[in-house]
Amino acid sequence: MKIQNYINGEYCDPVNGNWMDNYEPANGKVYSQIANSDSTDIENAYESAKAAFSSWSNTTIEERSRILLKVSELIEANLDRLAQAESKDNGKPLSLAKKVDIPRASANFRFFANAITQFSSEAHESVGLNSMNFTLRQPIGVVGCISPWNLPLYLFTWKVAPAIAAGNTVVAKPSEVTPMTAYLLGEILTEAGLPPGVLNIVHGEGPLAGQAIVEHPGIKAISFTGGTKTGEHLARTAAPMFKKLSLELGGKNPNLIFADCNYEEMLKVTVRSSFANQGQICLCGSRIFVEESLYPKFKKDFVEKVKSLKVGHPSKEVNLGAVVSQPHLEKVLSYIQLGEEEGGKILCGGSRTIVEGFEEGYYLEPTVIEVFDDQCRVNQEEIFGPVVTIMPFKDEADALAKANGVKYGLSSTIWTKDMDRIMRISKSIEAGIVWVNTWLNRDLRTPFGGVKASGVGREGGFEALRFFTEAKNICIKYEH
Ligand code: NAD
């Protein structure tokens, strides 16, 4: 099977005729070929996006909204097929893809179909100057969207839906590690009646196809989700060209657990926030800090619960499927080894899991490492797999210092019933998102993004529509 590009409303092969292998993480076997596109394909995608812009940006809000809603409905109608494709391509449990990934992809289109009908801009009357200012929010033109492998269709649609809702046309590249559902989306776009050229999907490697998007002088804005190092590189390329940039990058999110929390709820949710999607969610809490008095009990109960998690083939009823690729498996294993070398204690997991019948699959035991210094590398660097560290803290100030003692600042989770403490910590913690007594509780209207090395800019709600439009001030002087 060939995963082709979708340019100008049609599937096509990469011009250079190059393909690369696409692996199924559950069994480690190649199961399809991905277009290995280069700057020529990006140029073709750009030309078709450019040609479509004038008409699409002048299409009524109602019509754009109607088409986006249709895409949303068709994703929903194809739930089983898309969930199976996502699970096969990524290694995530099918149940998770059915419950989270694909419904969210549909919700993204539905949300922005509605949001664009409510989007408005400001007017400022300059009293005494006899003038009136209003802000015109215009689509930017051709924009680029680049997404990662952990939540493939979920994050791809989180970018492209607001981009086209706002009247832009798009050159988009999903991760070459998990291209399948973005490929299947092409059929849905055609069926929904999205005009050719409005959304072009090009597959290929980051340094080739991705880089060509970032370097293209006609692509005026880039919305990127991925690793911090890649984000740095992108910024270096795009900033001198004065492109608008939204960077959603890595994280090393803290969980602060106080002794007065709702213990059972905290324990249940902390297992999920540690290992959902094999720990491959940018919002997973990977550094768990627990108040000293609660620490021994937490350590015992948490490890016991983690040991009971089932790892297995993603099509079965399992808690964890396979991690996404062989190189990623090796990276995560090397961090577990590093954790030991640094003096950490592996409380459970720590090794590759062999699943009968799928011996070449990339399975890993959920791993808990007790660390004794919060500055050690396993506690500082993003592992992005089923590995968490645990460590006690003395008091609120110590908890906060540990939470902030890292270069990242994406999300954080606090477990406590003390409202004053909730407010104090929420204000001081260096993170774009603070969850209190909950995790991954998402309202799509809220601003989403990180601080420090976790990125620049906010997605979500009207923030995304603001990013994908350029504000122009019109000042009109009038006579009395
Ligand atoms: P990655 O940075 O390797 O790749 C992300 C995307 O960028 C891919 O499509 C890739 O092909 C492309 N890319 C790579 N090099 C490029 C280049 N030179 N020019 C243009 N594009 C290029 O990240 P990944 O391994 O796919 O994803 C995992 C990372 O994503 C983790 O760090 C995770 O925390 C982060 N992430 C962040 C968020 C968030 O919202 N902040 C969400 C999900 C994942």
Side-chain angles (χ1 to χ4, degrees):
M1 179 178 179
K2 287 191 159 166
I3 295 177
Q4 295 174 294
N5 294 328
Y6 179 80
I7 297 177
N8 209 27
E10 285 179 0
Y11 284 113
C12 54
D13 289 350
V15 175
N16 61 20
N18 291 341
W19 300 87
M20 44 183 176
D21 292 338
N22 190 25
Y23 290 83
E24 180 175 344
N27 61 20
K29 292 194 168 49
V30 173
Y31 82 103
S32 52
Q33 296 291 308
I34 315 164
N36 193 353
S37 313
D38 61 25
S39 55
T40 312
D41 306 285
I42 296 298
E43 187 58 37
N44 290 344
Y46 169 74
E47 286 301 332
S48 93
K50 191 175 159 207
F53 179 69
S54 165
S55 163
W56 181 246
S57 57
N58 284 300
T59 297
T60 62
I61 298 291
E62 289 72 20
E63 178 66 0
R64 279 188 233 154
S65 173
R66 194 188 63 75
I67 294 174
L68 265 74
L69 278 176
K70 186 77 189 152
V71 175
S72 162
E73 284 161 13
L74 288 169
I75 293 176
E76 219 164 60
N78 282 280
L79 173 73
D80 284 341
R81 180 171 173 238
L82 289 168
Q84 272 165 22
E86 200 72 295
S87 169
K88 187 172 177 139
D89 210 27
N90 172 281
K92 68 178 67 210
L94 178 59
S95 54
L96 188 72
K98 263 192 187 161
K99 217 172 103 198
V100 177
D101 291 75
I102 307 307
R104 174 60 191 275
S106 169
N108 288 339
F109 272 99
R110 191 168 51 247
F111 177 83
F112 285 108
N114 291 322
I116 195 63
T117 67
Q118 304 300 314
F119 191 47
S120 59
S121 57
E122 292 181 303
H124 302 87
E125 185 186 4
S126 306
V127 178
L129 296 176
N130 290 355
S131 50
M132 175 61 92
N133 293 273
F134 68 92
T135 308
L136 194 59
R137 284 218 160 253
Q138 295 175 295
I140 298 169
V142 181
V143 300
C145 296
I146 301 176
S147 56
W149 51 255
N150 63 321
L151 299 165
L153 194 62
Y154 174 135
L155 287 175
F156 186 77
T157 54
W158 183 231
K159 296 183 177 305
V160 299
I164 61 176
N168 301 283
T169 55
V170 180
V171 178
K173 194 193 87 63
S175 169
E176 64 275 34
V177 184
T178 53
M180 186 58 91
T181 45
Y183 165 71
L184 296 174
L185 183 67
E187 287 171 19
I188 289 177
L189 300 176
T190 304
E191 197 183 334
L194 188 74
V198 173
L199 173 53
N200 303 278
I201 303 170
V202 185
H203 299 276
E205 291 170 304
L208 214 66
Q211 182 76 20
I213 295 175
V214 182
E215 282 176 355
H216 199 293
I219 299 179
K220 302 290 186 201
I222 307 284
S223 173
F224 169 82
T225 299
T228 293
K229 272 217 151 58
T230 318
E232 271 173 37
H233 175 78
L234 245 75
R236 263 196 297 275
T237 311
M241 300 168 85
F242 306 109
K243 295 193 181 200
K244 245 184 145 175
L245 267 185
S246 170
L247 301 174
E248 302 291 337
L249 311 178
K252 191 77 181 174
N253 310 311
N255 282 15
L256 303 183
I257 300 170
F258 288 86
D260 70 344
C261 69
N262 175 340
Y263 187 75
E264 290 308 320
E265 176 70 4
M266 175 280 295
L267 197 61
K268 190 179 80 189
V269 176
T270 303
V271 172
R272 205 161 60 82
S273 70
S274 302
F275 299 110
N277 204 35
Q278 298 72 246
Q280 302 166 143
I281 302 182
C282 54
L283 304 164
C284 277
S286 51
R287 297 181 296 144
I288 302 175
F289 299 112
V290 186
E291 193 164 2
E292 252 172 9
S293 58
L294 187 68
Y295 187 71
K297 178 172 166 56
F298 173 82
K299 179 172 149 180
K300 181 173 157 289
D301 293 347
F302 183 63
V303 168
E304 198 179 297
K305 270 203 181 291
V306 174
K307 278 182 176 162
S308 73
L309 294 175
K310 199 164 177 324
V311 182
H313 193 277
S315 66
K316 303 275 189 306
E317 275 308 309
V318 292
N319 301 106
L320 286 86
V323 300
V324 78
S325 67
Q326 177 78 30
H328 193 57
L329 175 79
E330 283 161 14
K331 174 191 153 182
V332 179
L333 282 169
S334 76
Y335 268 106
I336 295 171
Q337 195 185 336
L338 175 69
E340 277 190 300
E341 285 164 13
E342 287 184 317
K345 189 168 162 201
I346 309 239
L347 300 177
C348 66
S351 314
R352 192 173 176 167
T353 306
I354 301 299
V355 175
E356 212 186 308
F358 308 100
E359 285 76 8
E360 304 298 313
Y362 317 134
Y363 300 96
L364 204 52
E365 291 171 344
T367 301
V368 180
I369 309 178
E370 183 173 41
V371 294
F372 303 95
D373 172 8
D374 74 300
Q375 293 300 309
C376 66
R377 281 183 59 199
V378 284
N379 222 46
Q380 290 290 316
E381 298 174 18
E382 187 185 42
I383 301 174
F384 213 55
V387 180
V388 293
T389 63
I390 66 168
M391 179 174 190
F393 66 78
K394 279 193 190 55
D395 53 20
E396 192 179 309
D398 184 32
L400 195 58
K402 286 186 162 71
N404 289 344
V406 71
K407 72 172 180 173
Y408 296 104
L410 188 54
S411 71
S412 55
T413 307
I414 310 168
W415 291 95
T416 179
K417 288 187 189 145
D418 181 335
M419 187 51 84
D420 296 329
R421 176 189 281 152
I422 290 170
M423 285 312 300
R424 281 193 302 270
I425 298 184
S426 298
K427 287 180 77 168
S428 311
I429 204 157
E430 293 162 2
I433 299 153
V434 184
W435 276 300
V436 182
N437 301 326
T438 184
W439 177 72
L440 206 58
N441 195 329
R442 293 277 296 123
D443 181 323
L444 302 188
R445 292 170 301 178
T446 60
F448 179 94
V451 298
K452 295 160 62 178
S454 291
V456 187
R458 292 292 177 272
E459 296 187 331
F462 291 148
E463 296 284 346
L465 296 177
R466 283 186 201 108
F467 174 77
F468 283 117
T469 51
E470 198 71 77
K472 184 186 280 174
N473 181 59
I474 318 285
C475 176
I476 305 172
K477 173 115 194 284
Y478 56 91
E479 298 299 330
H480 264 296

